[in-house]
Structure formats: C-alpha cells, structure tokens
Amino acid sequence: MSGNAFIMTLAQRQGRTDDDLGVPLCVDMDGTLVQTDTLWEAVFALLRRRPLLCFMLPFWVLLGRAGFKARLAAEVALDPETLPYRANLLNFLQEEHARGRQIILVTAAHHSIARAVGRHVGLFADVIGSDQVTNLKGENKAGYLSRLFGPGGFDYAGDSRADIPVWQASRRAIVVAPSSSLMRHSLWKTRSPKIFHGSRRLSAYARAMRPHQWIKNVLIFLPMLASHQINAASFLTSYIAFMAFSLVASAGYILNDLMDLAADRAHPRKRLRPFASGAIPISRGVMLMAGLLAAGFGLSALLSPMFIAWLALYLALTLSYSFWLKRKVLIDVFMLAALYTHRILAGAIATSIEPSFWLLAFSTFFFLSLAMLKRYSELVDRRAVNKVAPAGRGYVMDDMETIVSLGVASGYVSVLVLALYVNSQKVSELYRSPELIWLVCPILLYWLSRTWVGAGRGKIHDDPIVFAARDPLSRNLVIAAFCAIALAASVALPCMPWACK
C-alpha cells in the first residue's frame, strides 16, 4: 500500500475524507476549545483587580448580555496563555490544520478576548466573536454561520445545549465533553456526532471543597477540652459549630480559588486545582459556594445569634483576605494567625466557655509561626522552579531569611508560654500532676524545629496543619503530647522531695 493510500485510509477511519477539506470547521471557545468560561474568568479577574467595581456589575447587566460582555472586556484583558485548553480537541484541530482545512473560531465571548485566544492558538483562519450589539450564541450563531456558509455548509464543534441550533444548521456535529442530558437530546436520533470526551468527576467537587482543611476547625473543640468541661451537650454544640465553620470555610476556599485562577495556573501544583485546570466550570463553583454558605449559616442558626455574628465576621475576614490582605506583606500572615484564633473563640462562644488567657496567648504565637511557615514554603517552592516570587503575593526572595527568623521566634515563644502555663495556679486546679505537661514542651520544640528544617528543604508543600495530619511522625508526636496531658489530668505522681517539704 502506498503512503498516500495509507494516509487516506487512516483519515477515513477517523471520520475524515478529502471532502472535509472544502468544508470550514467552526469551533466554539468557552467550554469547547478551553475548559472554562471566559465571561466568568473576566468577572473574577475584575473582582480581584478592581473589587469596588463589583457594585457596577448589576448595572452592566441591564445593558444586555452583549453589552455586559463588552463593558467587562473594556475593563479586563485575560491572558490566553494561562487558560486551560482541551488537549484532545486541540490535537485534532492541529491535525486538520496540517491537512489544509479552514478552521474558524466562532464564539459568544467578546471579540477582543476571542482574538487574543486565536492569536495564541495560531490555527484559525478567522476569529468571530460577540460585539456590543450582538451576542453570538445559539440562534444568533446558527443564523450568522448559515448566512456566511449556507445551511449545511460548515461543521461545528460545541459543548452545550446552547449549541443545538448551530448543530442543526451544520453539516456535521462535533460534541466536546458532553453532559448526559445533552446526549439524550432528540437531535442525536438522526445525527451521529463525533465526540471528544471530557472528565467531569464528582471527586473534583470534593477537592474544590478541600475537606482535608477542615482539620483546622478542630480548634473549635479546644475551649471544651482545655477547660475539662467535656460532656454530651458541649460536644454536640462544638460539633455543630465545627460543621458550620467547615462549610463556610469551604465556600471561602472556592472563592479564593476563583479569585486566584491566573496565579494558580502559574504554580507548579496549584495549576491542578479543579477551577484552575477547568475540571469544574466556574458557574458550578459559584452555585456550590452559595449552597455551602446557606448550609453553614443554616447550621449556625441552631446555636446563638452571637455565634452567627462570629461566623459572619469569619466570612468577612476571609473575604478581605482573598480580595486584598493576602497581597500585603506581613499583614497576610497576621490575618492567617488571627483566623486560627478566631476558631478557638468560636468554640468558646458556641459552648459559653470562657477561654483562658494562656490558651489565647499560646495560639497567637503558635499560629503566627505556622502562617510564616506557609509563606516561607511558597518562596522555597518558587526558588526551586525559577527564583521568581509567588504571583499575587507581596514577598520577594530576599524576604526568606526574615520570615524564617520571625517564624521560628514566634514558635519558640509559644513553647515558652506553654512552659509558663505549666507553672501557673490555673494548671494546678485542672491537673493532678501538672509537671507531666512539661513533656509537651520538648515534643513541641522538636516538631517546630523539624518542620522549619523540612520547609527549608522544600518538603512542606501544604498548610502546616494539613502536613502534620498527613505526616506519620507528626501524628505520633501529637498522640504522645495528648497522652502526657491525659496522664497529667488523671494520674497523681508522688511528690518530689523539694515539693513535699
């Protein structure tokens, strides 16, 4: 068999013929060429760069979809290099382009965004997008292409139910990452589309919620544990508070991811997050965020008005962090430390148990050290890649030594607070053998030192608390510390000679 005959046979097996070369291939952009919606991308890019303009969005909506997109495009320029493209479709388009086929990008996105993507991909003979008057979607797109090429004079690649009129007007349909409901449409009873499958898994939604981060909310139980007021009522109340904070925290994580799309895509690991990678549509993320907020505040209503207000303050602090404070040097780490202590106070408010001075002093210094450790780990990661400071942060590489000094000092001060607590009058009222709590001090000193050394070696990639939950040695040290505290509370040791006098 000759080479040309082999190529022709291969093309026919893939559903292509030489007749295809004379038929333009029109390709949708949002959800098809890219695994995201550039309209939502632009909305969150605007909120990140100019958050005060969010109050103008309802007024821009009154301009209609086309006018809204035009107004948004005038304020925001997306970087096409950071968008998540569908590799399987892009490979197909490159093969068709190599065969000499005319490929046209036709999208409901604003033409300025479409042209930027078209220039970046470099495969399109023409780029057609919405303008200030016409929203090129659905029937509008079908009519435009029919007038341009004639009915049945083009092939079309799309991804959603909005593309059904376009497929009906096309010669051949190409369906990208279709939903099950789309494939049940009656159109496919008479037409046989070419399908490019996508990956939409429920696990991506679970990852977006970051349930592993809920471990931080265990701090809500600390006032109950530290005061030794452990009973069914206080535990149930603390658990409800824990779930309310966890759901609202997950909503905050989703918002943070949506605000940081471009920065996450430039990160070696964060680019795999569900929204940055395009595994979950941004619109679904907005709906998930709203549902989590409703569920979290619904649970908080079972407690007290003060707890609802405290949870609302937590949300306001996380929003201020996502929108603004995370880019402020040192203020960001103080805010992270404050959010840890905020959880402890939430547990105190939920159970009406007054937190001790010692608990609050220890948590302030300890969690400030962990917040510093988180920033230091990010700088270490970036140094290992290209020696460029993380995008969206206010730090530079020269800050690494300062962060280490501040973080280690804060951690060691927290151990000093613990040591002073062991010698206080309060501890003798709660524990039968307070001296056993001294064992926690070297355990904590070792863990802090080991963690900071590990961060310097690039081994701490997650939040330090999440790292501790996953690290076997850290878990064993936590168990040892709790055993020492439990023994101190339940076992009365013989007094030392100098204490018995």
Side-chain angles (χ1 to χ4, degrees):
M1 181 182 296
S2 68
N4 290 337
F6 175 79
I7 293 173
M8 183 177 298
T9 303
L10 180 61
Q12 290 170 347
R13 287 177 182 175
Q14 294 175 343
R16 310 176 203 167
T17 66
D18 287 339
D19 293 339
D20 291 341
L21 297 181
V23 180
L25 173 56
C26 299
V27 182
D28 182 38
M29 186 172 74
D30 293 342
T32 303
L33 179 64
V34 296
Q35 300 183 80
T36 187
D37 188 323
T38 56
L39 178 62
W40 281 105
E41 294 260 350
V43 168
F44 282 100
L46 178 70
L47 295 180
R48 183 178 65 252
R49 299 169 192 172
R50 302 183 64 185
L52 293 180
L53 281 181
C54 67
F55 298 106
M56 296 300 298
L57 292 178
F59 298 100
W60 294 354
V61 170
L62 299 177
L63 301 174
R65 293 186 67 87
F68 179 79
K69 292 177 180 180
R71 191 69 187 87
L72 199 58
E75 297 290 342
V76 176
L78 298 180
D79 183 359
E81 293 186 11
T82 66
L83 297 177
Y85 294 88
R86 290 197 187 275
N88 54 356
L89 179 64
L90 197 56
N91 290 336
F92 170 74
L93 296 180
Q94 289 170 343
E95 292 171 3
E96 292 297 283
H97 182 266
R99 295 175 64 218
R101 192 172 187 185
Q102 182 185 30
I103 306 175
I104 300 171
L105 184 63
V106 188
T107 174
H110 192 264
H111 61 82
S112 63
I113 297 175
R115 282 199 295 265
V117 170
R119 285 193 299 269
H120 173 69
V121 175
L123 299 175
F124 302 109
D126 196 6
V127 175
I128 306 168
S130 297
D131 56 25
Q132 193 166 357
V133 178
T134 304
N135 183 42
L136 203 63
K137 186 174 183 178
E139 295 287 354
N140 289 340
K141 184 184 289 188
Y144 182 91
L145 292 177
S146 294
R147 290 190 299 272
L148 190 62
F149 301 112
F154 62 95
D155 293 349
Y156 180 72
D159 71 291
S160 69
R161 297 183 71 89
D163 295 312
I164 288 174
V166 194
W167 282 318
Q168 290 173 332
S170 69
R171 184 195 69 147
R172 181 174 296 165
I174 299 173
V175 186
V176 179
S179 64
S180 57
S181 62
L182 173 60
M183 295 312 298
R184 289 194 297 267
H185 193 272
S186 59
L187 174 65
W188 312 123
K189 294 179 180 179
T190 57
R191 305 192 67 173
S192 207
K194 179 179 179 64
I195 300 176
F196 288 89
H197 293 284
S199 57
R200 292 182 179 177
R201 300 178 180 176
L202 290 177
S203 60
Y205 289 88
R207 287 190 292 116
M209 292 172 60
R210 301 193 211 174
H212 61 279
Q213 296 282 4
W214 291 6
I215 191 173
K216 301 175 184 177
N217 298 324
V218 171
L219 296 171
I220 289 173
F221 292 91
L222 273 185
M224 175 190 70
L225 297 174
S227 64
H228 294 197
Q229 298 184 41
I230 305 172
N231 52 66
S234 60
F235 179 83
L236 178 60
T237 302
S238 297
Y239 181 74
I240 293 173
F242 167 83
M243 288 306 302
F245 255 75
S246 296
L247 294 173
V248 172
S250 287
Y253 295 138
I254 291 174
L255 176 62
N256 187 70
D257 286 352
L258 294 176
M259 296 289 293
D260 275 355
L261 288 171
D264 284 352
R265 288 168 184 156
H267 193 277
R269 287 177 294 102
K270 294 180 181 180
R271 62 184 176 83
L272 301 176
R273 286 179 172 176
F275 299 109
S277 65
I280 301 178
I282 297 176
S283 58
R284 300 279 183 88
V286 173
M287 290 188 289
L288 179 60
M289 180 173 60
L292 290 169
L293 288 175
F297 279 99
L299 280 177
S300 69
L302 299 175
L303 300 178
S304 66
M306 177 62 75
F307 183 82
I308 296 175
W310 199 248
L311 183 59
L313 177 60
Y314 170 81
L315 179 61
L317 292 175
T318 56
L319 289 177
S320 65
Y321 176 80
S322 296
F323 278 90
W324 181 46
L325 296 179
K326 70 189 303 179
R327 292 183 289 275
K328 303 296 180 181
V329 176
L330 293 181
I331 293 178
D332 62 335
V333 291
F334 278 91
M335 175 58 72
L336 286 176
L339 288 173
Y340 283 116
T341 305
H342 191 97
R343 293 173 170 90
I344 296 175
L345 293 173
I349 292 172
T351 56
S352 299
I353 297 174
E354 181 182 359
S356 71
F357 160 80
W358 297 105
L359 178 59
L360 295 179
F362 171 83
S363 66
T364 297
F365 289 107
F366 182 73
F367 293 120
L368 180 59
S369 178
L370 297 191
M372 294 279 187
L373 180 63
K374 182 178 175 66
R375 287 292 172 265
Y376 177 68
S377 298
E378 290 176 352
L379 291 173
V380 170
D381 282 347
R382 299 300 291 179
R383 181 182 61 184
V385 177
N386 55 12
K387 298 185 179 181
V388 176
R393 308 294 187 192
Y395 296 92
V396 297
M397 289 302 174
D398 291 340
D399 295 330
M400 293 181 68
E401 292 184 5
T402 303
I403 293 174
V404 169
S405 301
L406 295 174
V408 173
S410 297
Y412 276 44
V413 168
S414 71
V415 180
L416 175 61
V417 171
L418 178 61
L420 294 174
Y421 168 70
V422 175
N423 200 42
S424 68
Q425 179 63 33
K426 182 70 174 179
V427 75
S428 61
E429 298 172 0
L430 295 174
Y431 298 91
R432 300 181 67 185
S433 301
E435 58 272 18
L436 286 176
I437 303 179
W438 275 104
L439 296 175
V440 180
C441 293
I443 291 174
L444 192 56
L445 283 171
Y446 172 73
W447 183 82
L448 284 168
S449 303
R450 175 178 177 268
T451 306
W452 275 99
V453 170
R457 295 177 178 178
K459 295 181 179 181
I460 311 296
H461 300 300
D462 294 304
D463 186 284
I465 290 185
V466 177
F467 164 79
R470 294 173 173 172
D471 177 49
L473 179 57
S474 296
R475 291 198 299 267
N476 291 334
L477 291 174
V478 170
I479 293 171
F482 271 106
C483 287
I485 294 173
L487 288 174
S490 58
V491 176
L493 294 179
C495 61
M496 294 296 144
W498 55 83
C500 295
K501 294 180 181 179

